[in-house]
Amino acid sequence: MVSYTDLSPLKQPDAPVIAHLNDRILAQVSPPRKNGVSDFKGGAMQPTVVRQSLEEWQSNWSQLHTKVLYFKGATEDALPELQQLFKSCRGIRLNVDPHNSLEIAGNVEFRSVLDTEKAMALLNNRKLKANNGTIIMSPLPKAEIGPPPNGAYVHIKHIPEDANVVALYDFLRPSGALYSCSIQTNPNGQQKDTAYACFVDATYAHAAIEQLNFAEFQGNNISLKVARPPRQSRASTTASSNSANSDLEVTSMAMQTPPQQQPQQQPSP
């Protein structure tokens, strides 16, 4: 991959995260477009989702160990937002492919496998602000990676109204790796008290239910159960992604040891 902006300070492992993604990339201007219309024929990464066996999916998911995620689907105007999101995920290097259109593609390098995994779960299929596209992320350079064949969704109830998706992810992650995690919202943007998480293996989902059902999360006793994949309206999806973006902007995603959760037994009737 040709680096659109070579941010050499990112090679310094001890440099502060905020210094790693600087504003130099924002000064780049795309070449002129004919009649205001892009002549873009397709990004450098042209993802295709194919049905995969469990073995193939696990092999692809294991590419997270390279600590690199590839992205596409965003517009050039989304660069400031992308920089903020990737910095929040402890990204240490942002590479954008050469392009002559509004749409951009590239890759992001992260500090650790856990940071990479977290960014994949929280940023993949994230709708960006101001109609700047929906970012698609993958550990593969030329293909998306769909939901895990052996995975399972968990429906979570009684989420506190001021909870954010980053804290929820950190709460669930000790039970096992997650493919996705999101808090639901109403079309008007008001956050619901429900959430969905997709674990990469059904055994992790059952472990989460066993360990965390009726456990306390930010003052509320939450409930978990296995569920079908969530169905969202376009308005709800937009509102949910915007809410999640706000959470990522104000919450540091530096890896910390999650506090030990003390499961509470369901009261006897």
Side-chain angles (χ1 to χ4, degrees):
M1 170 173 287
V2 179
S3 177
Y4 176 84
T5 300
D6 186 5
L7 304 178
S8 56
L10 302 182
K11 298 178 181 178
Q12 303 172 8
D14 298 327
V17 174
I18 194 170
H20 289 178
L21 294 170
N22 56 41
D23 294 335
R24 192 152 55 93
I25 192 171
L26 303 181
Q28 181 70 20
V29 178
S30 295
R33 301 169 179 82
K34 300 178 181 179
N35 300 322
V37 178
S38 168
D39 58 357
F40 179 66
K41 302 298 183 181
M45 184 180 75
Q46 302 177 22
T48 54
V49 179
V50 296
R51 191 173 185 85
Q52 296 176 318
S53 67
L54 176 60
E55 182 177 349
E56 290 172 330
W57 190 92
Q58 290 175 336
S59 175
N60 291 337
W61 186 256
S62 70
Q63 296 306 306
L64 290 173
H65 287 274
T66 64
K67 297 181 287 187
V68 175
L69 287 178
Y70 298 86
F71 71 90
K72 77 176 301 286
T75 67
E76 188 177 56
D77 292 338
L79 275 172
E81 183 180 356
L82 291 179
Q83 288 181 307
Q84 180 64 42
L85 292 176
F86 294 149
K87 283 194 296 184
S88 298
C89 296
R90 287 166 53 88
I92 59 173
R93 185 182 180 88
L94 170 62
N95 299 307
V96 180
D97 292 333
H99 59 286
N100 60 356
S101 71
L102 287 175
E103 185 173 342
I104 58 174
N107 67 44
V108 187
E109 301 170 25
F110 294 89
R111 286 186 176 277
S112 70
V113 174
L114 290 178
D115 293 332
T116 312
E117 182 184 294
K118 192 172 190 177
M120 179 68 191
L122 297 181
L123 300 182
N124 185 34
N125 289 313
R126 178 73 62 212
K127 187 174 179 61
L128 302 172
K129 297 177 180 179
N131 296 318
N132 284 331
T134 298
I135 185 172
I136 305 298
M137 304 195 72
S138 173
L140 308 175
K142 295 184 178 180
E144 295 178 25
I145 179 168
N150 199 38
Y153 281 86
V154 171
H155 186 214
I156 308 161
K157 294 183 178 180
H158 311 305
I159 298 292
E161 61 179 11
D162 58 347
N164 65 67
V165 70
V166 177
L168 180 61
Y169 176 93
D170 290 337
F171 182 81
L172 298 171
R173 180 58 183 84
S175 298
L178 292 104
Y179 172 79
S180 64
C181 180
S182 63
I183 297 177
Q184 306 302 289
T185 61
N186 294 311
N188 63 5
Q190 182 179 6
Q191 186 166 286
K192 296 182 180 181
D193 67 346
T194 59
Y196 282 92
C198 179
F199 288 86
V200 301
D201 192 284
T203 57
Y204 299 155
H206 290 293
I209 293 172
E210 180 179 349
Q211 297 166 6
L212 303 176
N213 193 30
F214 299 107
E216 182 178 327
F217 173 63
Q218 296 188 348
N220 283 14
N221 289 342
I222 62 172
S223 65
L224 294 80
K225 68 176 182 179
V226 174
R228 293 181 177 181
R231 296 177 61 185
Q232 292 181 308
S233 66
R234 180 178 179 182
S236 177
T237 302
T238 302
S240 177
S241 63
N242 288 341
S243 174
N245 280 348
S246 298
D247 294 338
L248 291 169
E249 289 174 0
V250 300
T251 305
S252 171
M253 294 178 65
M255 296 304 298
Q256 299 178 355
T257 303
Q260 294 293 326
Q261 306 297 336
Q262 297 297 329
Q264 298 182 5
Q265 297 298 324
Q266 185 176 11
S268 300

